[in-house]
Amino acid sequence: MKKESFNFTNFDPLDRSEMKRLMAGSGNIYCNTGGNTWPCYHATLTECTDICADIGSCEGCAQFP
């Protein structure tokens, strides 16, 4: 059986409203800008998303349990 590979580099970045809907429980929040992942230490995913979007080239934030 041949393994499938996925190319995740051809996806369009999410807009601000789409990023705000990416809520997944409570825990660590990480954002991605320009291909670099960094932890966000603000209280909510919305705050981190706003900060990431203001930095520019934000590819999204996610919250992990």
Side-chain angles (χ1 to χ4, degrees):
M1 177 186 268
K2 182 181 176 186
K3 286 187 177 182
E4 290 188 39
S5 63
F6 295 96
N7 183 353
F8 291 103
T9 59
N10 293 330
F11 287 88
D12 292 329
L14 301 175
D15 65 28
R16 185 179 290 230
S17 63
E18 290 171 320
M19 287 189 282
K20 286 182 179 181
R21 289 192 300 249
L22 291 175
M23 303 234 177
S26 61
N28 299 320
I29 301 172
Y30 290 88
C31 297
N32 191 315
T33 48
N36 297 313
T37 302
W38 49 275
C40 181
Y41 298 107
H42 292 274
T44 67
L45 182 60
T46 300
E47 290 175 324
C48 290
T49 301
D50 288 340
I51 291 167
C52 184
D54 289 341
I55 291 172
S57 70
C58 181
E59 295 165 1
C61 297
Q63 188 171 11
F64 301 95

